Amino acid sequence: MLAMNYRGPYRVRAEQKPDPQIEHPNDAIVRVSRACICGSDLHLYHGLVPDTRVGMTFGHEFTGIVEEIGPSVRNVKVGDHVLVPFNIFCGSCFFCQHELYSNCHNTNPEATAVGAIYGYSHTTGGYDGGQAEFVRVPLADINPTVIPKDIHPDDAVLLTDACPTGYQAAEMGEIAQGDTAVVFGAGPVGIFAAKSAWLMGAGRVIVVDHVEYRLEFVKNFAQCEVINFREVDDMAIHIKKMTDWLGADVCIDAVGCEAAGSALQRLTGRYLKWQAGAATALHWAINSVRKGGTVSIVGVYGPPFNIVPIGNALNKGITMRMNQASVKRHLPRLFEHIRAGNLEPRKIITHRVPLEEVSDAYHVFSSKLDNCIKTILVPPGAPRMETVH
């Protein structure tokens, strides 16, 4: 099969790899119909996530047609069109029973914190991802969700990660009616977090970034205010000026370890790797939120640690909530929002690229060229499903 192949930082290409096989009675093989490049894939691409091994296939956002199932699979059948959450989870451990699917205790022997993720380094289990013609889906009785007939396939692929992650970011912010929410980052997750903040009852939503085309996009998509941090001397003071000198009720870090905005953070976190990425957005979130407010973190940070102003967080009495999104838990509610017209996830798709051109696609997305917001990769021979089926 054709698959994306990681060859080292900034080096990916499409190559032939062996087709995946059924390895366990509860496996399924899925023929990929759509796969996305996620902003967190760029952390792998840039060499910032430990134990990202040469030869692996990225891609934790994908949909496809069930091609083959193991003898124990009962809940999906050959021919089903499924969306596959980026979390790989067992459904039966303590954490899955509490709907913390991203913290499954049984699917990732490499860590005691995060569960397993498709195509995301061996720190998350070492499973190959969906930027390929075929992918092995473990625990197929619990992981995939059959796409409802009234959900557009392009909406469905964005429900595998970006949209639920943004939604959970807003949910973890515990937004109360009329609250001011500030979202740091205008990538796909930040865009969905801003949109979701309105669904939670926010009275004001502000998005911070420095890329003008992304700020223009989120302003139109999420009907929010925007700030270009390049035009601001001190982010915390600027947010306080905008909020009667109190600070925002909720701040959301949707950036993570590659944040721009601080030369010191970039040097120590991005280049010298003395900490697990540049935590600039997290500093801004902690310092910009009001006393007693909430900071929600969905931006990716890896081991071992980050330098953060925990004393400020303590003395301000803020609540901090964070996790990888538990996608499966959010799907029923997100289907409702799509059906009601509150969300149209597919509107953030700007580029549709053949899998054969995956190297160029990564370059365009990483370098923020051609007004790229979200890229869909289409494998050769992928079934055409451009309308609701």
Side-chain angles (χ1 to χ4, degrees):
M1 68 171 182
L2 190 71
M4 175 271 198
N5 194 339
Y6 176 70
R7 307 308 302 167
Y10 294 90
R11 295 175 59 209
V12 301
R13 59 195 184 206
E15 291 189 337
Q16 292 294 322
K17 294 182 70 172
D19 289 357
Q21 305 294 318
I22 297 289
E23 298 178 14
H24 184 276
N26 209 18
D27 285 351
I29 304 299
V30 170
R31 177 187 288 273
V32 177
S33 56
R34 286 163 174 74
C36 300
I37 300 177
C38 180
S40 55
D41 287 329
L42 297 184
H43 306 324
L44 304 172
Y45 179 66
H46 296 153
L48 295 177
V49 179
D51 208 8
T52 302
R53 302 185 187 181
V54 168
M56 77 174 302
T57 295
F58 297 169
H60 54 270
E61 298 178 293
F62 62 92
T63 59
I65 305 297
V66 177
E67 187 90 356
E68 183 182 356
I69 57 175
S72 297
V73 176
R74 297 289 180 269
N75 293 334
V76 296
K77 62 184 184 300
V78 171
D80 281 345
H81 189 203
V82 296
L83 69 87
V84 183
F86 76 90
N87 328 107
I88 305 173
F89 52 94
C90 71
S92 59
C93 70
F94 174 88
F95 302 101
C96 288
Q97 288 297 303
H98 288 79
E99 296 187 315
L100 294 170
Y101 302 118
S102 62
N103 306 111
C104 177
H105 203 52
N106 290 328
T107 53
N108 181 13
E110 303 297 331
T112 58
V114 71
I117 298 173
Y118 292 97
Y120 211 84
S121 112
H122 279 64
T123 62
T124 59
Y127 297 84
D128 269 340
Q131 293 173 8
E133 289 187 84
F134 299 95
V135 61
R136 181 177 74 92
V137 173
L139 298 156
D141 264 341
I142 185 69
N143 278 262
T145 293
V146 176
I147 300 171
K149 293 186 180 299
D150 58 347
I151 298 297
H152 194 288
D154 283 350
D155 287 331
V157 74
L158 291 168
L159 295 181
T160 60
D161 177 9
C163 185
T165 297
Y167 187 82
Q168 182 167 310
E171 179 192 64
M172 290 191 301
E174 298 180 325
I175 296 169
Q177 195 74 28
D179 275 356
T180 294
V182 175
V183 179
F184 292 98
V189 169
I191 290 168
F192 285 126
K195 188 73 171 180
S196 298
W198 294 117
L199 301 178
M200 305 290 174
R204 188 179 186 189
V205 178
I206 303 166
V207 176
V208 179
D209 204 291
H210 68 113
V211 181
E212 282 294 343
Y213 81 81
R214 300 209 310 183
L215 289 169
E216 187 65 24
F217 187 95
V218 71
K219 183 167 66 173
N220 293 327
F221 182 87
Q223 299 83 46
C224 59
E225 300 170 65
V226 297
I227 300 171
N228 186 328
F229 67 71
R230 299 291 189 198
E231 300 171 357
V232 171
D233 291 329
D234 186 296
M235 182 55 64
I237 290 176
H238 190 82
I239 295 297
K240 287 177 181 179
K241 282 182 180 179
M242 297 177 71
T243 55
D244 296 326
W245 293 100
L246 294 177
D249 299 293
V250 177
C251 284
I252 295 171
D253 174 1
V255 182
C257 65
E258 293 196 67
S262 166
L264 179 62
Q265 285 281 338
R266 294 279 282 182
L267 175 65
T268 58
R270 178 80 190 273
Y271 302 111
L272 297 178
K273 297 182 174 63
W274 289 350
Q275 58 170 325
T280 309
L282 184 50
H283 277 253
W284 287 346
I286 290 171
N287 293 328
S288 300
V289 76
R290 66 166 170 80
K291 288 177 279 190
T294 301
V295 170
S296 172
I297 308 169
V298 291
V300 172
Y301 296 94
F305 60 85
N306 278 93
I307 303 168
V308 297
I310 196 66
N312 291 3
L314 166 68
N315 290 316
K316 292 174 74 173
I318 66 176
T319 297
M320 299 180 71
R321 298 191 64 197
M322 63 210 83
N323 206 350
Q324 300 280 354
S326 291
V327 172
K328 192 95 170 182
R329 177 168 65 87
H330 299 297
L331 290 178
R333 186 66 176 139
L334 290 172
F335 287 150
E336 289 179 10
H337 280 307
I338 291 171
R339 289 172 178 134
N342 300 326
L343 276 174
E344 293 183 84
R346 67 183 183 273
K347 284 194 170 182
I348 77 162
I349 298 169
T350 54
H351 291 66
R352 194 179 300 270
V353 180
L355 179 62
E356 295 91 327
E357 300 172 18
V358 66
S359 179
D360 290 340
Y362 266 86
H363 173 66
V364 168
F365 189 34
S366 171
S367 302
K368 299 177 176 64
L369 303 176
D370 196 29
N371 292 348
C372 183
I373 299 290
K374 190 67 172 179
T375 300
I376 298 292
L377 297 172
V378 183
R384 292 185 60 84
M385 295 175 176
E386 304 306 325
T387 59
V388 176
H389 59 298

